[in-house]
Amino acid sequence: MLQFHYPIVFALLPLPFLLKRFLPAYSQRERGIRIPFFDELVKKTGLTTSSGAVVHGQSLLHKSLVFCAWAFLVAALARPQWVEEAVTKTVPSRDLLLAVDLSGSMETTDFKNQEGNVVDRLTAVKEVLHEFLEKREGDRVGLIFFGSAAFIQAPFTEDLETCRVLLDEAQVRMAGPQTMLGDAIGLAITQFERSDMKERVLIILTDGNDTGSLVPPDKAAGIAKDNGVTIHTVAVGDPRAAGEEKLDEATLKAVAATTGGTFFHADDRDGLSAVYKRLDEMSTRDLETISHRPRLDLFQWPLGVVLIVSFLYHAASALASRAARSRRPQPHPQQTVRT
């Protein structure tokens, strides 16, 4: 729709009428030549003299063109704009970091996919995380993969499609066969230190126990709490297993409890889906959006009309002057001279 950015400028429309009403009329004095034999010259020529002034009036057409030009000039000064449809964008209101275990035990085939086929744990995790990421509008999401070491696969981003692609490319043991849970938490804390979001959430998915991190998981959880990071832990391993593949539920529960998070355990893909559904319900919040309406300036159009009207005004003045000269009578021997 059409809007004027400075509509108050239209208050200038009656300005020409006010100036004409309250300012004195324009007058111009011209010097004349005084000759001593003027009276004798008048007698000799047979002319008569009189005093007076000549006032040139303007036609209604001229006045209309002048006011029309002024009106369009005021319209241009009011800055007309064409306001287009609003463009709405969701503003991130939370930083969400996903830490995925890629240790050797994640290749255990004890989960079923959507088609009911038996797959390894990492494949089932990928399917469920894809569904989870589809609902993350309004979040900045990052990915951490950890095994014998932890590394950032994707820093915080609003590009959720890129996160899904990077998640698809994850492979078991690509970060080593072990499980450095504490190092993964420590790396997550360094990422959140660069964040200015009030809400910071870390979701850890693992099927093993910590195997020698530089910072023990419980101490890393205490540091995370001091930095305002909430950690939810999701266990997908077998608590009855032995060795490095044994699931340390006690540590995962302690990490979640320390930071105000929740511990979950999933025995199969359906259980894993239920976990992320529960996380959705726990993490509900109002989406923050910003709206912008593009504006296209149109002041050049009324200015163009002003130029056209000005041209018509001068053209009409020239034609009127020419017509007046053509109608002017030829001088007679007896003519009045005005002084």
Side-chain angles (χ1 to χ4, degrees):
M1 59 181 176
L2 182 64
Q3 287 186 353
F4 291 91
H5 195 67
Y6 305 113
I8 189 64
V9 176
F10 283 106
L12 297 176
L13 277 177
L15 183 61
F17 302 102
L18 296 177
L19 294 178
K20 184 178 180 181
R21 172 66 178 82
F22 295 104
L23 291 183
Y26 171 77
S27 62
Q28 181 178 357
R29 290 180 174 271
E30 294 184 358
R31 291 183 178 273
I33 300 177
R34 298 177 63 89
I35 54 179
F37 50 87
F38 180 76
D39 293 337
E40 185 178 353
L41 178 63
V42 170
K43 292 178 182 180
K44 294 290 185 180
T45 57
L47 301 176
T48 58
T49 62
S50 64
S51 62
V54 177
V55 178
H56 296 284
Q58 288 185 325
S59 66
L60 179 61
L61 176 61
H62 284 184
K63 294 180 179 179
S64 300
L65 289 176
V66 171
F67 181 76
C68 182
W70 171 252
F72 277 99
L73 181 59
V74 171
L77 292 174
R79 195 177 175 181
Q81 296 176 329
W82 182 259
V83 183
E84 300 180 2
E85 294 293 333
V87 178
T88 303
K89 178 183 178 181
T90 301
V91 180
S93 58
R94 172 175 58 192
D95 276 344
L96 176 64
L97 199 54
L98 298 174
V100 181
D101 185 359
L102 299 182
S103 61
S105 56
M106 289 294 286
E107 64 185 359
T108 305
T109 54
D110 55 357
F111 278 65
K112 290 184 178 182
N113 60 13
Q114 288 181 325
E115 290 74 24
N117 301 321
V118 179
V119 295
D120 59 73
R121 294 172 180 174
L122 182 58
T123 300
V125 167
K126 288 180 180 180
E127 286 186 357
V128 175
L129 282 180
H130 272 296
E131 299 172 3
F132 183 71
L133 288 174
E134 288 177 355
K135 304 175 182 179
R136 299 277 61 80
E137 182 182 4
D139 288 337
R140 292 200 314 166
V141 178
L143 282 178
I144 287 180
F145 293 155
F146 67 97
S148 300
F151 62 92
I152 294 292
Q153 183 68 359
F156 289 119
T157 178
E158 299 175 55
D159 188 353
L160 302 183
E161 181 61 31
T162 298
C163 287
R164 288 194 288 266
V165 171
L166 294 174
L167 182 62
D168 278 335
E169 295 175 350
Q171 300 294 327
V172 175
R173 300 176 186 271
M174 68 182 292
Q178 297 178 320
T179 306
M180 299 297 183
L181 177 59
D183 290 348
I185 298 175
L187 181 59
I189 293 172
T190 62
Q191 292 300 301
F192 283 119
E193 287 177 348
R194 304 186 183 98
S195 169
D196 55 359
M197 297 292 178
K198 294 182 179 180
E199 189 173 357
R200 307 172 180 182
V201 179
L202 171 63
I203 299 176
I204 300 176
L205 191 145
T206 181
D207 70 341
N209 60 351
D210 187 81
T211 53
S213 294
L214 295 177
V215 180
D218 55 344
K219 291 187 178 181
I223 299 174
K225 178 183 178 181
D226 295 337
N227 285 270
V229 180
T230 302
I231 302 178
H232 301 294
T233 54
V234 181
V236 295
D238 185 359
R240 296 168 298 179
E244 292 184 357
E245 295 185 1
K246 181 180 178 181
L247 180 63
D248 188 356
E249 288 188 340
T251 298
L252 295 178
K253 290 178 180 179
V255 167
T258 299
T259 61
T262 307
F263 167 79
F264 302 93
H265 185 269
D267 295 322
D268 52 26
R269 186 189 181 283
D270 292 337
L272 195 58
S273 296
V275 167
Y276 283 104
K277 183 178 180 181
R278 174 61 178 155
L279 287 172
D280 272 332
E281 296 172 352
M282 293 173 56
S283 303
T284 56
R285 80 261 182 256
D286 295 331
L287 293 180
E288 298 180 11
T289 60
I290 57 176
S291 181
H292 170 67
R293 304 196 71 170
R295 297 173 179 267
L296 179 64
D297 283 317
L298 302 175
F299 63 89
Q300 65 273 16
W301 293 103
L303 282 181
V305 174
V306 171
L307 293 177
I308 294 174
V309 171
S310 177
F311 172 78
L312 293 176
Y313 172 80
H314 289 289
S317 297
L319 292 175
S321 177
R322 183 175 180 180
R325 286 197 302 268
S326 64
R327 293 193 302 268
R328 184 178 301 168
Q330 297 297 325
H332 297 284
Q334 296 293 330
Q335 188 174 7
T336 300
V337 177
R338 295 183 180 273
T339 61

